[in-house]
Amino acid sequence: MYLDTAKIEDIKWYSHFDWIKGITTNPTLMKKIPTEKNDDIVENILDIIGDRELFVQISGNTTKGLITNADRLVEKFQNKVSLKIQTDSRGFEAIKIIKEKYPTIKTLGTVIFSVEQAYLAGLAGFDWIAPYFNRMENNGIDAFKTIKNINKLYTAHALETKILGASFKNTSQVMETLLAGANNVTIPPEILKDMMNNKLAIESIEKFNQHAIEVNNR
């Protein structure tokens, strides 16, 4: 499981769990940290997570801009960061060059909304893709079926790209993504908190604790 956030407090708390394999970020998440520049946020996260994976999204309105951004990140952080790359024509062109220049850098194809996008990302050599579950659902796309078909396609064509489900509004969507065949998920801290604190479980735990106090006070 990956944590989808740039908030240092949340990363510090959840990094105690060794099943958090890494962090995913994007410019929108970075923007929510108003007092820090992007590179400073990356540095702070790396200081916390050690050798766990950190995905940083490259940005640019042109293929050249994406590659320039990738060059800068690799030069500054070397193999400490993995790259999120948009899956449009500019991104598909950029990953070819990025993979040739930096063959050991891990890549994640982001903003996946269709099976055809995922297929091209697999052919392009992305290590991971991120299908956006809730965004698909909001636009009338059957997210479960889409991810299931991506998984089926990758298996049929022996594509090694893995599926990292993203964009969730509740815990059910997370589970649906995994049941559809995603290899992993990246989820925001508030949803992970809900997963760890099931409402019915909390009610039962509180009752058990109260009964334990009553028994001890006999």
Side-chain angles (χ1 to χ4, degrees):
M1 181 179 289
Y2 288 73
L3 197 64
D4 195 32
T5 186
K7 291 179 68 174
I8 297 302
E9 319 86 76
D10 288 327
I11 294 169
K12 281 182 178 178
W13 197 86
Y14 285 106
S15 64
H16 291 105
F17 301 106
D18 58 9
W19 38 265
I20 298 293
K21 300 303 181 183
I23 306 295
T24 60
T25 63
N26 61 47
T28 302
L29 293 173
M30 296 281 199
K31 187 180 178 182
K32 293 178 181 178
I33 316 297
T35 59
E36 300 283 347
K37 293 184 178 180
N38 287 3
D39 284 359
D40 294 331
I41 296 171
V42 172
E43 287 279 14
N44 291 337
I45 294 173
L46 289 171
D47 286 344
I48 297 167
I49 65 173
D51 60 357
R52 283 185 266 194
E53 195 162 22
L54 171 60
F55 280 105
V56 180
Q57 187 163 332
I58 61 173
S59 58
N61 293 319
T62 63
T63 299
K64 183 179 179 180
L66 291 171
I67 295 167
T68 298
N69 194 199
D71 287 339
R72 191 190 65 77
L73 285 169
V74 174
E75 181 179 348
K76 185 173 181 63
F77 299 108
Q78 300 180 4
N79 285 326
K80 294 180 181 179
V81 297
S82 302
L83 301 179
K84 289 178 71 175
I85 304 172
Q86 62 201 48
T87 49
D88 63 355
S89 57
R90 293 164 294 183
F92 288 123
E93 189 176 0
I95 188 181
K96 180 180 185 299
I97 297 168
I98 290 168
K99 278 289 187 182
E100 289 171 353
K101 295 174 75 171
Y102 313 111
T104 62
I105 293 290
K106 297 294 184 183
T107 55
L108 167 63
T110 192
V111 295
I112 294 286
F113 293 98
S114 68
V115 178
E116 54 267 32
Q117 262 186 301
Y119 179 54
L120 292 177
L123 294 177
F126 279 97
D127 298 288
W128 291 89
I129 59 159
Y132 279 23
F133 195 102
N134 188 58
R135 194 85 67 83
M136 279 193 266
E137 293 284 300
N138 286 343
N139 285 277
I141 302 168
D142 187 333
F144 180 88
K145 183 179 179 181
T146 300
I147 295 169
K148 186 176 181 179
N149 285 340
I150 291 170
N151 182 50
K152 186 188 298 185
L153 186 70
Y154 281 179
T155 301
H157 290 268
L159 294 172
E160 297 182 359
T161 303
K162 295 180 180 179
I163 303 169
L164 181 68
S167 175
F168 303 111
K169 72 171 183 181
N170 56 52
T171 61
S172 295
Q173 291 182 341
V174 175
M175 293 299 102
E176 284 188 65
T177 298
L178 292 167
L179 290 169
N183 303 90
N184 217 321
V185 288
T186 181
I187 62 178
E190 55 270 22
I191 291 181
L192 180 52
K193 183 178 180 181
D194 287 342
M195 292 175 70
M196 296 177 75
N197 295 285
N198 179 278
K199 181 181 178 182
L200 294 176
I202 294 299
E203 291 175 357
S204 296
I205 291 166
E206 289 175 351
K207 184 177 287 185
F208 286 143
N209 288 336
Q210 181 58 39
H211 289 169
I213 292 170
E214 292 172 5
V215 170
N216 288 333
N217 289 336
R218 284 176 180 170

